[in-house]
Amino acid sequence: MLLSIGCLCSGVQALNPQEGNTSTSQKTEQIGEITVLKQDSSSGFNLSGINTTLPFGIAPPNYAWAQATKFTAPHSGWKVLRIFVVASYSLGEKNNISPEISPFALEIRDADKNLLYHFSDIQLAYFNRPSGYGTATIDIPGIPVEDDFFVCFYGYKSVGLAAELQNATGNSYWYDRSTDILYHGELPLHNNQTLPINWIIWAAGK
C-alpha cells in the first residue's frame, strides 16, 4: 500500500546551509539500557494516537532518493545498535504466488552527510505483514555517532515509509544521494502548497 510522490522535485525546496542546523526537538524513551531517539509524537511502539499515513506508506520519486531523519546523540561515545522503521509493503497473495522480492537499504550519515554505515537486504524478512504495514527492527553493529547524525531509508519505490502528518519537528528530510542535497521533509499538496511531516524512523543505542 504505497503512495508514490512523482512530482516531488517541483514541490519541495533544498536546504540552505544554515537551515541544516534545526534545533532538536527529539524525544528519548528508555527500554532497559537502550535509549530510543524519536522525532515524532509516538509513545512506545503505539501509533494509534497520532495522525499518520498508515495503512499507506510514502515512496520516493526515484531510486536515488532516501527519506532521512536527523537525530542528536545523547552523549559522547553513544553507539547506534538498532533502527526501527515503520513502513508499508503491499504483499498481494493471489493464486499462491510467491511474494515479489524487493530491495531496501538503510544508511547512517554524520552531520556532514559522510557515510558511516550502509545496510541493504530484501524486504521479505522485515516488511511483509498481514496488515500490509508494520515496524521492522534492523540491528546495527554498534556504530559510534557524535552530535547530529542522519538515518536514511531507501525503499526503492517498493517499501513505503510511514509519516506523521502533524506536529512536524523540522528534522525529517528527503536526501538525494546523487547530488548530496537535503530537501525539506514535505509532501506536495494542491495549489503549490506543501505539508511538513515526520518520518517514523527511530534510532536506538547506548
Side-chain angles (χ1 to χ4, degrees):
M1 288 177 279
L2 308 180
L3 297 176
S4 181
I5 310 299
C7 58
L8 185 68
C9 295
S10 62
V12 298
Q13 296 179 339
L15 298 178
N16 293 321
Q18 65 270 21
E19 290 183 294
N21 298 322
T22 305
S23 60
T24 183
S25 56
Q26 76 181 11
K27 294 165 43 181
T28 61
E29 297 180 354
Q30 207 66 28
I31 304 176
E33 297 182 350
I34 301 297
T35 301
V36 181
L37 310 181
K38 295 184 173 186
Q39 291 286 7
D40 58 68
S41 304
S42 62
S43 177
F45 292 92
N46 183 11
L47 300 174
S48 61
I50 65 175
N51 184 15
T52 72
T53 57
L54 295 174
F56 295 97
I58 306 297
N62 61 59
Y63 293 104
W65 279 45
Q67 289 137 299
T69 298
K70 184 174 73 174
F71 300 99
T72 301
H75 55 76
S76 179
W78 198 76
K79 294 181 179 180
V80 182
L81 299 173
R82 197 166 293 140
I83 300 294
F84 298 101
V85 178
V86 181
S88 174
Y89 175 77
S90 183
L91 178 53
E93 298 178 341
K94 296 181 179 179
N95 302 320
N96 296 318
I97 297 175
S98 298
E100 181 179 346
I101 294 176
S102 300
F104 75 93
L106 182 137
E107 293 175 344
I108 299 174
R109 293 178 175 267
D110 67 15
D112 296 319
K113 296 174 288 183
N114 297 307
L115 183 64
L116 302 177
Y117 178 72
H118 177 89
F119 172 87
S120 61
D121 205 336
I122 59 175
Q123 92 294 353
L124 295 179
Y126 298 90
F127 297 104
N128 287 342
R129 301 288 188 274
S131 63
Y133 65 91
T135 302
T137 303
I138 300 168
D139 291 325
I140 305 296
I143 300 299
V145 291
E146 298 290 338
D147 301 319
D148 293 340
F149 65 97
F150 296 92
V151 176
C152 304
F153 179 76
Y154 299 84
Y156 298 128
K157 303 176 89 169
S158 59
V159 180
L161 189 61
E164 180 184 14
L165 301 176
Q166 295 176 321
N167 307 315
T169 68
N171 290 288
S172 289
Y173 307 91
W174 297 95
Y175 174 60
D176 184 351
R177 183 169 56 185
S178 64
T179 60
D180 196 35
I181 293 176
L182 283 171
Y183 295 86
H184 291 287
E186 300 172 338
L187 301 180
L189 302 175
H190 298 295
N191 302 320
N192 294 320
Q193 300 297 308
T194 57
L195 176 68
I197 49 81
N198 298 322
W199 301 125
I200 306 181
I201 300 174
W202 307 322
K206 64 179 182 178

